[in-house]
Amino acid sequence: MARRAAHATQLLRGAAKPAQRGATPLTRKSAPQRSGEESCADVHAIAVPAMDVVYEQRECGDDCTLHLVRRPCKRRGLLRLPRMPGCWARAPMGCESKTMPSSLQTRNWTQQPARSMAACLGKLQPRLEAACLPQQDVSLRKYLLVAHVARPAINRCFVTQRALPFQVPRPGTCFSAAHRVSGQRYHINHGHQAEMLVPMLEASVLHAHAPSTLYWPVNMTHWIRSVLPAMWPFTRVQLSAAPRRQCRVFSPVGSGGGRSNWLRTPIATTLLRRAMLRHCGRSEVRVLQHHHVRVAVALLRDNSSSEPRHIAHLESLLMALRGALPTAAVHVRHTRSDAPICEQAAWVYDAGLLLSPHGAHLTNALWLSEGALLLEVMPWGMWGYRGYQGLLRSAGLAYERLNSTRPHALEPQWRNAANDSVADEASCERIEACRRFYRGNSKLAVSVSELCLALSRQLRYADHAACQRAVSDRGSRQGFHDGYL
């Protein structure tokens, strides 16, 4: 046991090294089987540094291959799962079948008669799913929660689950990002690279399998590199062009999602969110709009960014949020471009309301709880830019835009070669240089009245009068400019 624990530690340390071009996942030969786990042999393991999560592929017979996620009970990411050893299951809401065990409940975990991990996840789970889950329409599936809890040593507790179906690779399949993409943004901006990755992930969900190999011929950004192990832990990644006509190629869908949108089925977002929270050891939280927001987050861009997009009079907006949502905890969090993906997920996953300027960091809105409200602050000159609407349309989120007003006349203004400035926002929007200037050089000035109206439209319990009054009272004492109140 000590030798195995030392080996797991070595895997964790080894995984901390950056991925090399064409690198393969960590592998190992068949390991000694554990007591009570039948003939399952470890043939493949991938460790996630710092998160203490291991993805395992196990062979449990000629026709049984299990792809598993194992992590300590303290980071299990499962709501109210007991730590008693054994097989535990929880049915999804709406699962009503005469063939289901009477002990299986939808609200609580119930222990099942399976003595080993292989019997629990390899035999019992498929039988329960066949009795409950509709197979004809993937968008209607509400996957069972089944987990095996084991205590291999004193004060050590591990929970193991099967990987989600879209995480299991099908031999011989491959996806590829488009090799020829126009525009530098697809080489340096992860928000635009997500235009290729997110449709890939949705296709994987709809077909209930992952590609065996992913080819990524353009420069892979930090966010893409960090998301892939959580979504497709068993997929081989090749940082090169795919063999000609052998892989399904995904081209960018375009800003705003183009005609097809980034996501088309709600189940895709549900499962992508579940995979990320499993990866990071977080519990799934559902936020219903008729319930009071418990946590509101103002997510600000890193000050070291070339375009920090500061929000003018941020304190006024925070005062308005506290007035409209008196029971909510209001936090201010800052992004980091090099942050691990689990840290990025932690910025948003518990938020019932997220206020943030437009930017590539909003791809992390995928990890927001279902039913959360996202308020995206748009720079002046970009009011009509569709941005991430295509990503958020099917993500189960409520969405509002707050448009920044034009910077004050004393602040820097864009001018053309004839030294003329634009007359209005629509004129600026038609000129790329103008859009880039105000996006990168101006603070985002949002009217508190606009914020309060957005809250009133989306949250019926928001106190509109208190929202306005909280700022007006403070503004009268400190002499804030009326344009921001």
Side-chain angles (χ1 to χ4, degrees), residues 174-181 195-196 199-200 203 214-215 217 241-253:
C174 59
F175 287 171
S176 176
H179 179 58
R180 297 179 180 178
V181 288
E195 295 176 26
M196 296 181 282
M200 287 183 188
L214 170 66
Y215 292 91
R244 190 174 183 182
R245 297 181 180 179
Q246 292 187 16
C247 301
R248 181 176 175 182
V249 178
F250 289 79
S251 299
V253 296

Side-chain angles (χ1 to χ4, degrees), residues 311-322 355 377 446-448 451 471 484:
I311 298 179
H313 298 285
L314 174 63
E315 188 60 33
S316 298
L317 300 181
L318 297 179
M319 289 287 293
L321 282 176
R322 294 187 178 102
L355 171 68
V377 183
V446 178
S447 165
V448 171
L451 170 63
V471 182
Y484 297 108

Side-chain angles (χ1 to χ4, degrees), residues 53-299:
V53 176
V54 176
Y55 295 94
E56 295 178 305
Q57 178 179 324
R58 294 189 174 207
E59 303 296 339
C60 294
D62 295 337
D63 58 348
C64 178
T65 300
L66 295 180
H67 292 80
L68 306 172
V69 184
R70 177 171 59 85
R71 54 206 183 279
C73 293
K74 63 181 181 181
R75 303 193 68 87
R76 60 184 179 267
L78 296 169
L79 197 61
R80 295 187 294 276
L81 174 64
R83 297 190 182 186
M84 294 176 58
C87 181
W88 297 85
R90 185 178 180 182
M93 297 296 292
C95 177
E96 298 178 359
S97 173
K98 294 181 180 179
T99 59
M100 292 292 293
S102 58
S103 63
L104 195 61
Q105 300 181 22
T106 59
R107 296 186 179 275
N108 297 310
W109 290 88
T110 55
Q111 195 161 17
Q112 302 299 314
R115 296 183 179 180
S116 68
M117 185 273 295
C120 176
L121 303 178
K123 298 179 181 179
L124 177 66
Q125 181 169 348
R127 188 165 68 248
L128 294 178
E129 289 181 344
C132 171
L133 305 177
Q135 300 297 320
Q136 68 277 11
D137 187 351
V138 69
S139 65
L140 298 178
R141 294 180 186 173
K142 298 177 180 295
Y143 292 95
L144 243 68
L145 293 177
V146 181
H148 182 263
V149 180
R151 287 184 175 275
I154 299 176
N155 297 326
R156 294 289 287 172
C157 178
F158 291 96
V159 58
T160 304
Q161 287 183 286
R162 292 181 69 159
L164 296 169
F166 82 91
Q167 296 178 304
V168 179
R170 176 175 293 178
T173 60
C174 59
F175 287 171
S176 176
H179 179 58
R180 297 179 180 178
V181 288
S182 60
Q184 187 183 13
R185 60 184 181 273
Y186 291 108
H187 296 265
I188 62 174
N189 187 303
H190 77 252
H192 289 289
Q193 288 197 0
E195 295 176 26
M196 296 181 282
L197 178 62
V198 173
M200 287 183 188
L201 295 173
E202 183 177 47
S204 183
V205 169
L206 294 177
H207 293 90
H209 70 81
S212 179
T213 305
L214 170 66
Y215 292 91
W216 199 270
V218 298
N219 176 57
M220 182 178 285
T221 62
H222 169 73
W223 189 84
I224 301 293
R225 189 186 299 273
S226 301
V227 166
L228 284 174
M231 299 295 113
W232 291 333
F234 305 101
T235 295
R236 179 186 177 94
V237 178
Q238 294 279 16
L239 302 181
S240 60
R244 190 174 183 182
R245 297 181 180 179
Q246 292 187 16
C247 301
R248 181 176 175 182
V249 178
F250 289 79
S251 299
V253 296
S255 298
R259 296 180 180 179
S260 61
N261 300 330
W262 297 26
L263 290 168
R264 291 167 291 178
T265 54
I267 190 64
T269 308
T270 299
L271 295 182
L272 298 183
R273 183 185 295 117
R274 178 170 296 174
M276 180 57 69
L277 296 183
R278 278 187 179 186
H279 183 76
C280 299
R282 300 283 183 176
S283 297
E284 293 186 49
V285 179
R286 188 180 183 189
V287 178
L288 300 178
Q289 291 191 36
H290 59 272
H291 288 180
H292 289 268
V293 170
R294 296 181 179 179
V295 178
V297 174
L299 184 62

Side-chain angles (χ1 to χ4, degrees), residues 293-345:
V293 170
R294 296 181 179 179
V295 178
V297 174
L299 184 62
L300 309 181
R301 288 166 63 94
D302 189 353
N303 290 329
S304 63
S305 171
S306 59
E307 296 183 4
R309 299 176 197 167
H310 296 298
I311 298 179
H313 298 285
L314 174 63
E315 188 60 33
S316 298
L317 300 181
L318 297 179
M319 289 287 293
L321 282 176
R322 294 187 178 102
L325 309 172
T327 61
V330 179
H331 303 288
V332 177
R333 296 170 182 168
H334 295 266
T335 68
R336 288 196 302 117
S337 59
D338 59 347
I341 191 59
C342 289
E343 180 181 331
Q344 297 189 45

